[in-house]
Amino acid sequence: MSQPTLTCREFIDFIMGWLDGELEPAVRRSFAEHLDMCPDCVDYLDSYQRTVALGKAAWDAPGDAPVPDEVPEQLVQAVLAARRRA
Amino acid sequence: MAKQRAPDAAGRADKPGEDALLAGLRAGRDEAYEQLVRGYGGRMLAVARRLLGDGEDARDAVQEAFSSAFRSIDRFEGHARLSTWLHRIVVNAALMKLRTRRRKPEEPLDDLLPAFLADGHRIDPGGPWQPAEALEHREVRELVRRSIDRLPESYRTVLLLRDIEELETAEVAEMLGIGPGVVKTRLHRARQALRGLLDPELREGGAAARSTRAVKP
C-alpha cells in the first residue's frame, strides 16, 4: 500500500476547502487518497461535518428555550413608542 | 432572515404580503409599523440573543435595529426580502453592541484544536461519534449552544454568522471589517474547536451517550 501524500494535519487543513469544492484538482486527489487510507481522518471528517450540522440545528427545535417566536409585548410597545417620539 | 425564509403562520408575510406591508410602511401607517414589529420582532430577538445572550443587550439591539430600519425604509429597494433586510440590520446592531462590550476571559483557541505529532498524525484520534439519531436530543442541542458560547468571541461570531445565520463569506467579511480569507480561516478553526469541545461527549461511549440513552428526544 502506498503512503498517503497528505499528512493528517494537512488533511484537516483542507477539510473546509474540500466541503466547499474549492480545492485544486491535485489537492483534491490527494485528499481523496488520504481519505481512502486513513480511518482516523474518515472519523474526523464525519465529526467535523456533524459539528456543522449540530450547530445549525442547535436553535432549531420548537419548544426549546431560548427561541422566541413571539416578540415580548413590552418590546413591541417600546419600539412603537420610540417611533412616535422620533 | 436565514431561518425564516419560508412564509409561516406567525405573521411573517410572503412576497405579496411583504409588498403590501412595505407600501403601508412607506405611507407612514401606524398599523403597518406594528405589523412589522409583531411579525418580525420575535425572530430578530432570537438572532440578537444568539449573538448577545438573553439579557438587556439583545432587546436593545432589536430596538436599535427597528429604529434603523424605520429611518431607512424609503431606501429599501425591494430586491431582497424584507426579512433578509431586517436580518442584516439586526445582525449589525448586535455586532455594534458586541464591540462595545467588555471582553470576558477566554479559553485559548489552540487548546481546542487537534494536536499533532511531528509526523503529522493526530495525538488523540479519539474514534467515531455516536450515530446521528442518537444525538437528536434537547440535551445535545443545549450542549452545542453552551459549547459555541465557550469559543473565543471573534471565532464564535464568525461561526454564528456563517453557519447559523447563514450569511455569505463576503457579507460577514464586510460586517466585521476583515478579509474573506480571514473569515474562512476563522470559520474552519471555530468548527474544529467546537468539534473538539463536543468530541468527549459525543464520541461512542461519550458522556452524552450515557446521559441521553434513557431520554426521549
Side-chain angles (χ1 to χ4, degrees):
Chain A
M1 194 163 78
S2 61
Q3 283 296 305
T5 51
L6 292 182
T7 65
C8 298
R9 181 197 283 267
E10 290 165 332
F11 176 91
I12 288 173
D13 282 345
F14 286 128
I15 284 180
M16 199 165 87
W18 164 267
L19 294 175
D20 292 344
E22 291 177 352
L23 296 185
E24 298 292 326
V27 180
R28 202 165 60 229
R29 275 193 300 277
S30 301
F31 188 97
E33 281 168 21
H34 187 100
L35 198 56
D36 278 342
M37 288 183 237
C38 181
D40 287 345
C41 284
V42 170
D43 288 342
Y44 192 92
L45 177 61
D46 176 65
S47 60
Y48 181 100
Q49 290 180 281
R50 288 174 56 199
T51 296
V52 177
L54 285 168
K56 288 181 192 298
W59 280 273
D60 269 0
D64 261 19
V67 188
D69 264 317
E70 299 294 320
V71 57
E73 189 59 29
Q74 209 181 1
L75 182 55
V76 174
Q77 294 309 326
V79 169
L80 297 176
R83 174 178 171 255
R84 284 192 292 273
R85 284 196 303 273
Chain B
M1 44 208 63
K3 289 182 178 298
Q4 63 165 57
R5 280 185 186 125
D8 60 29
R12 292 181 286 277
D14 53 14
K15 187 72 174 87
E18 274 194 8
D19 290 345
L21 177 58
L22 201 52
L25 294 169
R26 286 183 172 146
R29 282 200 286 276
D30 288 347
E31 62 274 19
Y33 281 88
E34 183 165 349
Q35 190 187 336
L36 184 82
V37 177
R38 290 192 188 283
Y40 296 89
R43 286 306 173 111
M44 288 168 73
L45 183 58
V47 173
R49 281 178 167 162
R50 283 195 279 273
L51 283 156
L52 297 166
D54 284 340
E56 193 73 20
D57 277 359
R59 290 188 291 278
D60 288 350
V62 172
Q63 250 193 283
E64 283 156 24
F66 273 118
S67 295
S68 166
F70 294 167
R71 281 196 303 275
S72 52
I73 196 75
D74 286 335
R75 295 200 298 275
F76 175 70
E77 292 178 352
H79 299 312
R81 294 287 302 268
L82 197 51
S83 53
T84 308
W85 182 65
L86 289 170
H87 182 233
R88 277 147 188 73
I89 292 175
V90 75
V91 166
N92 272 314
L95 291 176
M96 291 280 281
K97 283 246 169 272
L98 270 183
R99 282 185 203 113
T100 61
R101 267 188 178 178
R102 210 153 56 96
R103 294 283 178 103
K104 59 180 185 193
E106 292 176 341
E107 294 178 54
L109 190 84
D110 284 349
D111 292 354
L112 306 174
L113 298 177
F116 298 92
L117 300 165
D119 67 0
H121 284 92
R122 260 193 305 151
I123 289 173
D124 171 23
W129 279 12
Q130 301 158 50
E133 56 275 18
L135 303 182
E136 291 169 0
H137 292 280
R138 188 165 51 80
E139 288 81 356
V140 172
R141 290 192 290 275
E142 286 169 3
L143 169 71
V144 176
R145 295 200 292 262
R146 280 199 310 277
S147 301
I148 289 173
D149 270 346
R150 286 175 60 189
L151 298 176
E153 193 59 59
S154 58
Y155 292 89
R156 188 184 77 97
T157 303
V158 168
L159 183 101
L160 284 171
L161 297 184
R162 283 287 288 114
D163 280 350
I164 286 82
E165 303 304 333
E166 299 178 341
L167 297 173
E168 300 292 336
T169 298
E171 288 177 289
V172 175
E174 195 185 327
M175 284 173 163
L176 298 177
I178 55 180
V182 178
V183 173
K184 287 184 183 185
T185 306
R186 281 193 197 165
L187 177 62
H188 185 42
R189 289 166 67 85
R191 287 170 169 179
Q192 289 181 73
L194 178 59
R195 184 215 155 274
L197 287 168
L198 298 174
D199 183 51
E201 307 283 332
L202 303 187
R203 67 170 70 160
E204 281 181 2
R210 292 191 293 278
S211 66
T212 60
R213 194 165 290 139
V215 182
K216 289 205 180 295

